[in-house]
Amino acid sequence: LVQVVDSGGCSVQSGGSLRLSCTFSGFAFADSDMGWYRQVPGPANECELVSSDRADGTEFYEKSVKGRFNISRDNAKSTLYLQMDNLKPEDTARYYCAADSRPYVLCTGGILKAYWGQGTQVTVPS
């Protein structure tokens, strides 16, 4: 049984920092591509890939977060992290962790639904 426990979201001032974390179980975390997503404004409940850490060690960062966000993983704890620094109002969104690295996908995860967290809200007031 795959389980995902996510945490870390809250409201933080512009320029502040936040760390999101997700703990996974029920599959080979160390061998999996992992990603952080955020919900895109609009009615379609779509998510864009913010950052990914693939099993081969390659990382991806969406252009607007490059240099401010850092993804990391602790394979021994099956935990994925997203360190978010210098937060901006435009970072406000619901963030999802997932055993997924597709660039653009429904926030339910689609066919990988079981491997997605429930999401956590990050708010950066303007």
Side-chain angles (χ1 to χ4, degrees):
L1 175 66
V2 176
Q3 291 187 311
V4 183
V5 178
D6 50 9
S7 64
C10 68
S11 180
V12 61
Q13 288 184 330
S14 182
S17 296
L18 197 61
R19 188 174 82 158
L20 307 181
S21 65
C22 270
T23 300
F24 296 79
S25 61
F27 66 99
F29 177 86
D31 298 330
S32 300
D33 299 341
M34 306 300 296
W36 286 98
Y37 292 78
R38 63 185 173 195
Q39 190 170 13
V40 175
N45 194 31
E46 291 179 314
C47 275
E48 66 174 351
L49 182 66
V50 174
S51 181
S52 66
D53 184 335
R54 300 179 69 95
D56 64 5
T58 58
E59 294 183 348
F60 163 83
Y61 293 95
E62 193 274 329
K63 181 178 168 183
S64 69
V65 308
K66 198 173 289 186
R68 299 188 298 119
F69 290 12
N70 184 68
I71 191 171
S72 63
R73 63 199 293 167
D74 184 334
N75 288 334
K77 297 180 179 179
S78 296
T79 300
L80 183 72
Y81 302 98
L82 185 68
Q83 178 66 40
M84 311 165 76
D85 297 325
N86 190 21
L87 281 159
K88 303 177 180 181
E90 51 264 40
D91 295 320
T92 294
R94 190 165 185 84
Y95 285 75
Y96 296 81
C97 59
D100 199 339
S101 61
R102 293 172 291 170
Y104 210 69
V105 64
L106 288 175
C107 297
T108 57
I111 59 172
L112 296 180
K113 179 179 180 179
Y115 299 85
W116 276 59
Q118 295 300 306
T120 187
Q121 180 67 34
V122 173
T123 302
V124 187
S126 56

